[in-house]
Amino acid sequence: MARKSRKTPAGKKASSGGSKKPSSGAPPKRSPGAPTKPPSSAPTKPSPGAPTKPSRARPAQPPPLPYDQQLSQAARSLAVPIWQVLNGIILAAAFVGVLLGLWLLRPTPTFSPVEVATGSPFDVRFRVVNDSGFATLANLRIGCVLASLRGSGLTDTMVAATDLAFETPGADRLAPGEAATFTCPFHAGIPQLGRNDPGAAQRAEIYFHSAYDLPPLPGWFPVTANSPRFIVNTQFLPPRWTSKPGS
């Protein structure tokens, strides 16, 4: 009689198929959370046939130049800075020369006495004239200076002029060729002079210090000037103030 083959259940076949071991040549599978090993840091030796990198050779230093060539190179390197310094000095000198020329050409007023009083010569009025043919004297300020008084020790004592009156009605500055009059309050500013003392006036020397603006120059740059010295000349009757010779 023929033997009947036994049929295995379907569940046993599935379990027998899942329990097979992996072959030795396949790499093991990693679980998702397993740490990975870092690669080995051991240096790898180059293969015998691999080409090697050539080492960097130091550039050859040029031989030192002769002494005369070194001097010529140093002179050429200093030529440009020295030329720039010379240019700066020339420009500065030219600027100073222009300013000095303008200063020498600045207009200066002239002064003279107007009249001689019967009393003290210190009480006379004086006249100021703008002799410039092109410049206007604005914001004119005049100081009367007692330069010296022999026997008193007074030197360079200044009082501000008063009663400045322009000859042109309504003017507040001296136009070219115009004039104005003023008074020097010597007795009020210098009590040591005394009152109506012709002898003191004959021993005195005075001059006038003026300060003014030159439009259109800014007002914060005033121009100043000193007049020649004046003395009382007794050759006139009555005596009057005249310019001191050689002043």
Side-chain angles (χ1 to χ4, degrees):
M1 290 180 68
R3 293 184 179 179
K4 295 181 180 180
S5 59
R6 294 183 180 179
K7 295 181 181 180
T8 59
K12 289 183 179 182
K13 288 182 179 180
S15 60
S16 61
S19 60
K20 290 182 180 180
K21 294 182 179 180
S23 61
S24 59
K29 294 182 178 180
R30 296 175 182 173
S31 61
T36 59
K37 292 183 179 181
S40 176
S41 61
T44 58
K45 295 182 179 180
S47 60
T52 59
K53 294 182 179 180
S55 60
R56 293 183 179 178
R58 294 182 179 179
Q61 296 182 355
L65 297 174
Y67 185 69
D68 55 347
Q69 294 185 9
Q70 294 181 10
L71 289 179
S72 62
Q73 285 187 357
R76 284 194 298 269
S77 63
L78 291 176
V80 174
I82 290 176
W83 180 248
Q84 291 177 353
V85 172
L86 290 177
N87 281 339
I89 293 175
I90 292 172
L91 291 176
F95 182 72
V96 172
V98 170
L99 291 181
L100 182 60
L102 293 176
W103 179 255
L104 294 177
L105 294 175
R106 74 192 187 279
T108 55
T110 58
F111 297 86
S112 62
V114 175
E115 59 186 12
V116 178
T118 56
S120 172
F122 290 110
D123 294 334
V124 300
R125 291 182 64 81
F126 292 90
R127 188 168 182 261
V128 54
V129 181
N130 180 10
D131 288 335
S132 174
F134 61 92
T136 298
L137 309 184
N139 299 324
L140 179 63
R141 288 90 65 195
I142 300 174
C144 306
V145 184
L146 178 63
S148 64
L149 181 62
R150 295 190 306 273
S152 67
L154 292 174
T155 57
D156 291 330
T157 304
M158 185 170 66
V159 295
T162 57
D163 302 329
L164 180 62
F166 296 92
E167 291 183 350
T168 302
D172 59 351
R173 58 185 62 191
L174 278 182
E178 292 188 349
T181 59
F182 61 93
T183 304
C184 291
F186 282 117
H187 288 105
I190 309 175
Q192 297 90 327
L193 288 179
R195 189 69 183 173
N196 297 329
D197 186 1
Q202 295 177 11
R203 292 183 287 113
E205 293 183 9
I206 64 173
Y207 67 91
F208 305 100
H209 175 78
S210 55
Y212 45 91
D213 301 332
L214 295 176
L217 294 179
W220 49 262
F221 185 69
V223 180
T224 60
N226 290 333
S227 72
R229 293 194 176 191
F230 289 81
I231 58 175
V232 172
N233 191 341
T234 58
Q235 294 180 358
F236 293 94
L237 293 176
R240 67 183 61 181
W241 296 97
T242 58
S243 297
K244 180 181 178 181
S247 63

